[in-house]
Amino acid sequence: MADVLRPARRGLMLILSSPSGAGKSTLTRLLSQNENNLDLSISVTTRQRRSSEIDGVHYRFIDRASFDQMRQHNDLLEWAEVHGNGYGTPRRDVETSLREGRDVLFDIDWQGTQQIVKKAREDVVTIFILPPSMAELRSRLVRRAEDAPEVIAKRLQNARDEIARWEKYDYVIVNEDVEAAYASVRAILTAERLKRTRATGLGEFVERLLAEPLP
Ligand code: 5GP
């Protein structure tokens, strides 16, 4: 379709939440590597960098003073304390992506999700990823071997609180098999992108269509 005929679309914010270890990071990575027109929001965090993580790719690792300063200056679209660390979404990059017509993907917890939903319900799509069982969640955290045992115990405890929020989400996916879960997330994204209310240029397009003489 020629560009002039393609109705303009408002960017959407796709939020994935889940307890640590439910496979959300893998899904986020697959989406940001394979989907067009989807920018990953890189959060800031005060937590320690894991050995597998790269500053500026997985997170921007900052100290508490910088985090507090960003909060005070309203530089964060949302923020939360998770497992005793500060996490937040820098506002500027998200606004730039949306303004330029790109969608934005977030890997944030339920607290941040609520804040963004409150600000922009029409532009937000939320997905919650559940592990198939608590035993599987635990073994994924242990297999990852990146957190100390006491950190893993804390994360499992917090997982219950996180899972209890499942009903606040638009979609819920049980991640038994990552390929299947990924296919579900893609299907959601495709359908949500096609929603009539997001196609801001549709009215104009239909008007032009109806103005055409009948062949
Ligand atoms: P992790 O330390 O395992 O990378 O992340 C812990 C939790 O913090 C995850 O549930 C993750 O989704 C959440 N999280 C990561 N970045 C943000 C953020 O910018 N805001 C909020 N509210 N939560 C975040």
Side-chain angles (χ1 to χ4, degrees):
M1 208 191 317
D3 260 0
V4 66
L5 292 181
R6 186 179 295 133
R9 195 178 59 79
R10 215 162 68 199
L12 66 82
M13 295 184 261
L14 180 68
I15 302 183
L16 295 192
S17 294
S18 77
S20 317
K24 178 186 42 174
S25 314
T26 310
L27 292 171
T28 309
R29 183 173 45 76
L30 285 171
L31 276 170
S32 68
Q33 282 172 353
N34 298 316
E35 289 295 321
N36 290 326
N37 206 45
L38 185 65
D39 294 347
L40 176 64
S41 165
I42 312 286
S43 298
V44 293
T45 181
T46 64
R47 92 150 153 70
Q48 287 286 316
R49 187 178 64 82
R50 297 187 187 121
S51 55
S52 63
E53 290 175 327
I54 302 166
D55 189 25
V57 174
H58 298 93
Y59 283 104
R60 271 175 50 213
F61 296 92
I62 60 174
D63 58 23
R64 183 52 79 164
S66 311
F67 184 79
D68 290 344
Q69 201 175 37
M70 288 185 85
R71 261 178 41 203
Q72 280 153 14
H73 291 174
N74 199 25
D75 289 340
L76 298 176
L77 184 61
E78 63 72 35
W79 64 273
E81 296 288 331
V82 187
H83 313 135
N85 292 301
Y87 294 80
T89 301
R91 174 191 300 283
R92 218 183 38 204
D93 293 348
V94 175
E95 288 176 347
T96 304
S97 300
L98 292 176
R99 203 172 37 241
E100 292 174 0
R102 291 193 303 278
D103 298 330
V104 184
L105 174 63
F106 300 80
D107 168 348
I108 60 175
D109 85 327
W110 65 272
Q111 305 173 80
T113 303
Q114 292 300 92
Q115 293 171 46
I116 297 185
V117 165
K118 222 183 251 171
K119 284 179 186 158
R121 175 65 274 196
E122 291 301 305
D123 297 324
V124 183
V125 179
T126 61
I127 306 180
F128 195 83
I129 313 290
L130 284 172
S133 66
M134 293 309 270
E136 176 61 23
L137 187 68
R138 183 176 187 282
S139 69
R140 285 182 194 169
L141 286 174
V142 171
R143 229 181 297 143
R144 190 159 79 181
E146 288 190 282
D147 295 311
E150 61 274 17
V151 174
I152 291 179
K154 194 168 176 186
R155 280 171 185 261
L156 272 175
Q157 197 52 47
N158 285 341
R160 288 174 186 280
D161 299 339
E162 186 95 26
I163 288 171
R165 318 279 168 176
W166 69 281
E167 279 182 298
K168 295 271 186 206
Y169 285 76
D170 300 325
Y171 300 92
V172 177
I173 295 172
V174 180
N175 183 12
E176 210 153 347
D177 166 64
V178 75
E179 287 300 317
Y182 177 51
S184 298
V185 174
R186 285 194 65 183
I188 293 166
L189 179 60
T190 303
E192 290 286 348
R193 279 175 163 171
L194 289 168
K195 252 195 174 155
R196 173 178 53 79
T197 47
R198 297 219 160 84
T200 49
L202 204 52
E204 219 176 283
F205 174 77
V206 172
E207 239 171 64
R208 273 206 310 272
L209 203 59
L210 293 178
E212 276 183 37
L214 289 179

